[in-house]
């Protein structure tokens, strides 16, 4: 059967994104062969790394200051052209690597002190990884990331146990920045889900929980990442984003709609709530344009819908009742 | 297969090794997927399926009002209507699960072929308040082709593949390469790539954004009057050599030919 292509709604949907459609300039196309050229030396670099990857990381443990001092001349001395010459660089890199061993001794005490706190360890590790980017980026960084990713721990994605979920929420509500929210208690937990971070980012390898809460008292969304290994809030963002409805909000919307006199009048015998959907109006004169709302759809079980009640979840009242065919 | 907390959510067959889990709001999620021993995917999910209804009678008196705004219900634990099943087919295997959200029923399918093809699909069983409505399933792919942070995104435009240097919105205009592919993510090091081919009937579009820690909000509704996600994520961040998240959005208008299966074809090549 021939399918009619999308109507006005589709067109408007396409217009929405202000983001430009970026046809890459011709220069970009010229970059492609460059990428291939870059690829060649990587294989050699990768082979080296396979031989002694751990050592390479140890070398990076050298204190920043020394690393910077030694790295600075590298930048100037060994730009892209130097890598193209190929034959000499192998030896050259080995020679350059040698003095780093000497820096190991200097790095050792730092490791001991850093070992006291896991968090501190990770932060410094992340910084150490970040620091040499400027100097050794082209040679070392990419392959190392690939290797790390393959070792990503699948168990970090596993669903939370009840205890883990409770732990995550306890840690979040103990955060001082959310003291008011926790005290007033007018909030809904929308979701608590595992959110592992990719290596080599900070907190990769940690059991992280992404928590979304809607704070009714201040009409705001709380987006947080909680690190369960270190019992701390790793990330917190407060915004006007409207998250999906929690199950409790769906149930509340249905009970508000069922209790509304206007809705009752318009329902026929046997019509029941079929679903509560998260809804926002595109019309800025509607209450549901900026306020947390749900659309409760009514109808006979298994039959077409007959009525939609828009429920304002802030005031727990029905703001609009629309016949389904007029929606 | 059980969905409990354990290690029974790994499938290793047909050259693939994948992990899966049911989410709260993003359907059946696939994560840490390897093809022929190479990492291809960090995670892929179906965060939103929004539904727009259009006004059936467009009167001048309406003052340009074209119906109500979108609404949606998350696909996940609360709407799951049956167990996740894993079935073999000739040349591969597939995971599928049904969702039931009142008027709206969906079947989410992930297919994996031994030749490197992958199909993240959603069968929409129709319904709706009335006939004039459109479904907008949103898939989010976090591909790591042989590792993250060393990839580039390309778009087939003006008869050739062009590099996408910055975040942006790249709709399917009808132009595609000989294999029907419109977008691809290429790994510099290995030369391997993941190519995406849209369904001809679903007016697909792709949002390419730099990977951020929180780039999959728990709702498409960003703020009153603001653009919805993922369009709201699009800025000017560079993509070349960075870790990238791709959002594939399909626009499927309801008609009597439903049920309709939306979603792209994805091909992994170079491994």
């Amino acid at each position: 059967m021939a399918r009619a292509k999308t109507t006005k709604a589709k067109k408007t949907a396409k217009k929405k994104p202000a983001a430009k459609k970026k046809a890459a300039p011709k220069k970009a196309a010229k970059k492609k062969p460059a990428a291939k050229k870059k690829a060649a030396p990587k294989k050699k670099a990768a082979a080296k790394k396979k031989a002694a990857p751990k050592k390479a990381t140890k070398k990076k443990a050298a204190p920043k200051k020394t690393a910077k001092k030694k790295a600075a001349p590298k930048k100037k001395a060994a730009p892209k052209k130097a890598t193209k010459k190929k034959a000499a660089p192998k030896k050259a890199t080995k020679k350059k690597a040698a003095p780093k061993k000497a820096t190991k001794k200097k790095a050792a005490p730092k490791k001991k002190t850093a070992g006291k706190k896991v968090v501190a360890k990770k932060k410094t590790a992340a910084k150490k990884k970040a620091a040499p980017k400027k100097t050794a980026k082209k040679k070392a960084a990419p392959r190392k990331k690939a290797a790390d990713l393959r070792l990503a721990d699948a168990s970090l994605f596993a669903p939370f146990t009840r205890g883990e979920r409770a732990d995550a929420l306890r840690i979040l509500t103990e955060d001082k920045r959310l003291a008011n929210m926790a005290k007033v208690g007018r909030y809904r937990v929308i979701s608590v889900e595992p959110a592992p971070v990719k290596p080599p980012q900070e907190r990769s390898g940690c059991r992280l929980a992404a928590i979304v809460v809607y704070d009714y008292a201040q009409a705001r969304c709380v987006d947080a990442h909680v690190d369960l290994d270190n019992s701390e809030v790793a990330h917190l963002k407060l915004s006007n984003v409207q998250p999906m409805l929690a199950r409790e909000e769906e149930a509340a919307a249905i009970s508000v709609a069922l209790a509304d006199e206007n809705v009752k009048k318009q329902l026929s015998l046997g019509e029941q709530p079929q679903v509560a959907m998260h809804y926002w109006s595109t019309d800025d004169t509607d209450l549901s344009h900026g306020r947390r709302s749900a659309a409760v759809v009514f109808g006979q079980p298994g039959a077409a819908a007959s009525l939609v009640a828009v429920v304002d979840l802030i005031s727990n009242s029905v703001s609009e009742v629309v016949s389904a065919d007029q929606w | 297969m059980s969905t409990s907390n354990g290690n029974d959510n790994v499938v290793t067959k047909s050259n693939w090794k994948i992990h899966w889990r049911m989410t709260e709001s993003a359907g059946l999620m696939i994560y840490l997927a390897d093809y022929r021993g190479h990492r291809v995917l960090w995670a892929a999910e179906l965060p939103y399926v929004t539904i727009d209804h259009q006004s059936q009678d467009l009167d001048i008196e309406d003052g340009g009002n074209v119906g109500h705004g979108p609404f949606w219900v998350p696909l996940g634990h609360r709407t799951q209507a049956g167990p996740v099943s894993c079935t073999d087919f000739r040349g591969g295997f597939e995971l599928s699960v049904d969702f039931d959200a009142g008027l709206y029923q969906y079947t989410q399918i992930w297919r994996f072929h031994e030749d490197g093809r992958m199909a993240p699909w959603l069968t929409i069983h129709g319904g709706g308040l009335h006939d004039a409505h459109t479904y907008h399933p949103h898939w989010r792919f976090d591909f790591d082709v042989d590792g993250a942070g060393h990839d580039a995104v390309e778009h087939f435009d003006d008869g050739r593949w062009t590099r996408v240097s910055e975040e942006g919105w790249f709709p399917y205009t009808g132009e595609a390469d000989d294999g029907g592919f419109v977008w691809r993510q290429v790994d510099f090091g290995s030369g391997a790539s993941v190519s995406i081919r849209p369904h001809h009937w679903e007016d697909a579009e792709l949002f390419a954004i730099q990977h951020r820690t929180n780039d999959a909000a728990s709702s498409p509704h960003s703020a009153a009057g603001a653009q919805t996600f993922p369009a709201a994520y699009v800025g000017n961040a560079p993509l070349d050599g960075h870790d990238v998240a791709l959002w594939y959005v399909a626009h499927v208008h309801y008609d009597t030919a439903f049920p309709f299966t939306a979603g792209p074809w994805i091909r992994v090549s170079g491994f």
Side-chain angles (χ1 to χ4, degrees), chain B residues 7 28 51 105 137 140 158 173 237 253 267 269-270:
Chain B
N7 295 322
L28 183 65
I51 306 154
Q105 286 89 39
R140 179 183 175 277
D158 289 336
T173 55
H253 189 67
R267 180 186 281 280
S269 47

Side-chain angles (χ1 to χ4, degrees), chain B residues 20-222:
Chain B
W20 63 269
R21 77 174 170 90
M22 181 56 68
T23 62
E24 274 291 312
S25 63
L28 183 65
M29 176 195 198
I30 301 296
Y31 60 93
L32 300 184
D34 297 348
Y35 178 66
R36 289 189 171 151
H38 295 268
R39 177 58 40 81
V40 172
L41 186 74
W42 174 261
E45 54 198 353
L46 180 63
Y48 325 129
V49 182
T50 57
I51 306 154
D52 260 328
H53 282 77
Q54 298 91 47
S55 182
Q56 297 196 98
D57 349 288
L58 287 174
D59 292 336
I60 298 171
E61 289 171 7
D62 280 352
N65 183 7
V66 288
H68 289 76
F71 57 28
W72 76 297
V73 66
L75 302 188
H77 288 300
R78 79 178 76 168
T79 45
Q80 188 177 344
V84 176
S85 66
C86 181
T87 317
D88 290 351
F89 62 84
R90 185 182 158 90
F93 67 96
E94 64 188 32
L95 300 173
S96 63
V97 61
D98 291 322
F99 296 98
D100 188 346
L103 291 176
Y104 306 98
Q105 286 89 39
Y106 307 96
T107 303
Q108 189 183 1
I109 307 167
W110 288 95
R111 309 190 86 213
F112 297 90
H113 295 251
E114 60 189 15
D115 63 3
R117 281 179 295 157
M118 184 176 105
W121 288 349
L122 182 74
T123 301
I124 304 165
H125 295 284
L129 298 173
H130 52 72
D131 285 354
H133 66 282
T134 309
Y135 296 87
H136 310 278
H138 294 55
W139 282 268
R140 179 183 175 277
F141 301 104
D142 186 352
F143 292 116
D144 287 338
V145 188
D146 209 23
H150 200 221
D151 297 351
V153 177
E154 295 183 337
H155 180 211
F156 196 83
D157 197 20
D158 289 336
R160 63 193 172 94
W161 285 103
T162 50
R163 183 72 52 86
V164 173
S165 56
E166 284 181 3
E167 292 178 329
W169 169 61
F170 307 97
Y172 171 46
T173 55
E175 244 194 306
D177 75 357
D178 293 341
F181 296 101
V182 178
W183 310 278
R184 68 185 183 191
Q185 188 169 328
V186 185
D187 178 56
F188 292 144
S190 60
S193 64
V194 171
S195 306
I196 304 173
R197 190 181 93 188
H199 192 297
H200 185 68
W201 291 112
E202 63 189 24
D203 279 2
E205 55 193 8
L206 189 93
F207 294 87
I209 59 167
Q210 201 182 96
H211 181 273
R212 302 175 186 101
T213 307
N214 286 320
D215 64 0
S218 62
S219 157
H221 187 26
S222 55

Side-chain angles (χ1 to χ4, degrees), chain A residues 1-10 13-14 16-26 28-29 31-32 35 39 42-43 142-143 145-146 149-150 152-154 157-161 164 190-194 196-199 201 207 212 225 235 240-247 250 274-282 289-290 295 297 303-305 308 320 322 324-327, chain B residues 5 19 21 23-25 29 31-32 37 39 42 51 53-54 56-58 67-74 77-78 101-104 129-130 134 136 142 144 146-148 150 154-155 157 160-164 166-173 188-190 200-201 203 205 207 211 213-214 218-225 227-229 231 234-236 243 251 253 255-258 260:
Chain A
M1 195 174 258
R3 180 176 299 282
K5 278 260 175 181
T6 315
T7 57
K8 283 184 181 180
K10 279 173 154 183
K14 276 194 175 180
K16 278 180 190 174
K20 321 122 198 180
K21 180 197 165 187
K22 284 156 194 165
K26 287 179 184 174
K31 282 177 190 171
K32 283 183 196 172
K42 272 169 219 158
K43 286 178 185 172
R143 280 293 162 192
K145 281 180 188 173
L149 270 178
R150 268 181 228 121
D153 184 356
F157 287 85
F160 287 130
T161 61
E164 283 180 313
I190 308 296
S191 65
V192 183
E193 295 230 63
V197 172
K198 279 185 201 179
Q201 290 178 48
R207 184 73 159 146
V212 181
H225 277 202
H235 168 87
N240 294 323
V241 167
Q242 288 279 349
M244 66 180 186
L245 299 181
R247 292 176 195 227
E250 288 179 356
Q274 295 189 342
V275 64
M277 315 277 285
H278 180 207
Y279 169 70
W280 60 96
S281 172
T282 49
H289 178 70
V297 179
V308 182
E320 195 180 357
V322 186
D325 59 350
Q326 294 298 314
W327 184 261
Chain B
N5 189 3
H19 297 75
R21 77 174 170 90
T23 62
E24 274 291 312
S25 63
M29 176 195 198
Y31 60 93
L32 300 184
R39 177 58 40 81
W42 174 261
I51 306 154
H53 282 77
Q54 298 91 47
Q56 297 196 98
D57 349 288
L58 287 174
H68 289 76
F71 57 28
W72 76 297
V73 66
H77 288 300
R78 79 178 76 168
L103 291 176
Y104 306 98
L129 298 173
H130 52 72
T134 309
H136 310 278
D142 186 352
D144 287 338
D146 209 23
H150 200 221
E154 295 183 337
H155 180 211
D157 197 20
R160 63 193 172 94
W161 285 103
T162 50
R163 183 72 52 86
V164 173
E166 284 181 3
E167 292 178 329
W169 169 61
F170 307 97
Y172 171 46
T173 55
F188 292 144
S190 60
H200 185 68
W201 291 112
D203 279 2
E205 55 193 8
F207 294 87
H211 181 273
T213 307
N214 286 320
S218 62
S219 157
H221 187 26
S222 55
Q227 282 194 327
T228 52
F229 295 122
V234 176
N236 296 317
D243 193 6
H251 304 286
H253 189 67
D255 65 26
T256 49
F258 265 50
F260 179 81

Side-chain angles (χ1 to χ4, degrees), chain A residues 199-215:
Chain A
Q201 290 178 48
E202 193 184 345
R203 294 186 197 274
S204 60
C206 293
R207 184 73 159 146
L208 289 175
I211 305 179
V212 181
V213 172
Y214 191 75
D215 179 4

Side-chain angles (χ1 to χ4, degrees), chain A residues 36-46 83-84 86 139:
Chain A
K36 284 175 188 170
K37 280 175 194 170
K38 282 176 190 173
K42 272 169 219 158
K43 286 178 185 172
K44 289 173 185 175
T83 55
K84 282 178 186 173
K86 293 173 188 173
K139 294 173 187 172

Side-chain angles (χ1 to χ4, degrees), chain A residues 62-71 103 106:
Chain A
K64 283 178 208 168
K65 287 178 185 176
T66 55
K68 276 181 186 173
K69 281 173 192 172
K70 284 166 192 170
T103 60
K106 291 172 191 174

Side-chain angles (χ1 to χ4, degrees), chain A residues 40-119:
Chain A
K42 272 169 219 158
K43 286 178 185 172
K44 289 173 185 175
K48 283 178 200 171
K49 278 165 227 154
K50 280 173 192 170
K54 285 182 183 176
K55 281 180 187 175
T57 52
K58 279 178 188 173
K59 282 166 196 169
K60 282 190 177 178
K64 283 178 208 168
K65 287 178 185 176
T66 55
K68 276 181 186 173
K69 281 173 192 172
K70 284 166 192 170
K74 276 186 194 174
K75 255 189 176 179
K76 292 170 189 174
K80 285 181 186 175
K81 285 176 187 175
T83 55
K84 282 178 186 173
K85 287 174 187 173
K86 293 173 188 173
K90 281 189 180 177
K91 289 176 185 174
T93 50
K94 280 175 188 172
K95 281 172 191 172
K96 282 170 192 171
K100 282 183 183 175
K101 285 179 184 173
T103 60
K104 272 186 190 174
K105 289 171 188 172
K106 291 172 191 174
K110 272 201 171 183
K111 278 183 184 174
K112 282 177 187 174
T113 53
K116 289 177 182 174
K117 288 184 180 179
V118 184
V119 188

